[in-house]
């Protein structure tokens, strides 16, 4: 019984519909090479990151989407707070946020509560890019679920929410949701 569920979850995790990413060797095919021409369709189908890891083009990469989504719900956080919340090494979060800072999607601000550590928050551009990516993802979901009844969609959503909350409880780390976000 769990074999099918494990396989299905693996397929969801690698699904480009929700978490698109460049794969090795594809960058040149999508117009990242100098002198190549990129159509809007190609740009919409792939992530665009330059050689320094900065986000560019029409779509955020996985880590940018993840970090911006987290900060959007939780509010401004320090790199240490982000690393703790996400269960990642500080150097990993520092590298990922550095790319977002260089791309103008994040900014450093003084701690609103007066602490010494500077906090990170999305810039206006970062918030706009996150909103655009969310809209693209929702449109793709709508296309995939076209043949589903509203009841089927609701049951699927309920089951995934329950599953994710149980995983979060098992790991002792919750993903922030708007309904239980902190005041910022």
């Amino acid at each position: 019984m769990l074999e099918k569920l494990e396989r299905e979850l693996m397929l969801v995790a690698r699904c480009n519909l929700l978490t698109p990413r460049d794969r090795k060797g594809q960058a040149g095919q999508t117009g990242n090479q100098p002198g190549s021409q990129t159509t809007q369709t190609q740009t919409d189908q792939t992530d665009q990151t330059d050689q320094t890891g900065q986000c560019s083009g029409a779509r955020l990469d996985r880590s940018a989407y993840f970090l911006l989504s987290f900060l959007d719900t939780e509010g401004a956080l320090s790199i240490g707070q982000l690393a703790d919340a996400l269960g990642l090494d500080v150097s990993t979060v520092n590298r990922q946020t550095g790319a977002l800072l260089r791309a103008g999607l994040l900014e450093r601000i003084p701690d609103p509560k007066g602490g010494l550590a500077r906090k990170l928050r999305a810039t206006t551009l970062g918030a706009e890019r996150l909103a655009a990516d969310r809209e693209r993802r929702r449109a793709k979901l709508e296309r995939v679920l076209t043949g589903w009844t509203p009841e089927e969609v609701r049951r699927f959503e309920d089951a995934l929410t329950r599953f994710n909350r149980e995983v979060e409880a098992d790991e002792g780390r919750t993903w922030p949701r708007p309904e239980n976000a902190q005041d910022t």
Side-chain angles (χ1 to χ4, degrees), residues 40 76 126 152:
Q40 186 61 40
E152 289 172 324

Side-chain angles (χ1 to χ4, degrees), residues 98-183:
L100 296 175
L101 286 161
R102 288 187 301 276
L105 303 178
L106 282 183
E107 63 185 348
R108 292 185 198 278
I109 61 167
D111 185 343
K113 297 179 182 174
L116 295 177
R118 295 182 53 92
K119 304 284 183 168
L120 296 166
R121 74 172 175 203
T123 61
T124 301
L125 176 62
E128 289 170 355
R129 294 275 301 277
L130 178 62
D133 261 29
R134 282 183 174 155
E135 186 56 38
R136 272 193 291 278
R137 290 167 191 239
R138 288 175 184 155
K140 288 181 179 185
L141 273 174
E142 185 176 352
R143 185 185 76 234
V144 168
L145 300 175
T146 297
W148 293 39
T149 67
E151 176 61 20
E152 289 172 324
V153 172
R154 188 195 58 72
R155 285 195 329 260
F156 182 60
E157 181 183 90
D158 289 346
L160 279 177
T161 299
R162 179 179 177 195
F163 176 80
N164 286 331
R165 287 180 192 257
E166 303 240 356
V167 168
E168 292 166 2
D170 185 63
E171 293 177 350
R173 182 179 305 115
T174 60
W175 177 257
R177 292 176 176 84
E179 68 267 14
N180 56 3
Q182 301 172 9
D183 291 305

Side-chain angles (χ1 to χ4, degrees), residues 55-125:
C55 301
S56 60
R59 181 171 286 161
L60 296 170
D61 67 24
R62 286 177 152 210
S63 65
Y65 186 85
F66 190 68
L67 287 167
L68 287 169
S69 292
F70 198 91
L71 291 169
D72 180 55
T73 303
E74 285 293 288
L77 296 170
S78 69
I79 287 178
Q81 290 171 317
L82 275 170
D84 288 344
L86 301 174
L88 297 171
D89 187 73
V90 171
S91 65
T92 300
V93 175
N94 192 41
R95 185 175 54 254
Q96 292 172 342
T97 58
L100 296 175
L101 286 161
R102 288 187 301 276
L105 303 178
L106 282 183
E107 63 185 348
R108 292 185 198 278
I109 61 167
D111 185 343
K113 297 179 182 174
L116 295 177
R118 295 182 53 92
K119 304 284 183 168
L120 296 166
R121 74 172 175 203
T123 61
T124 301
L125 176 62

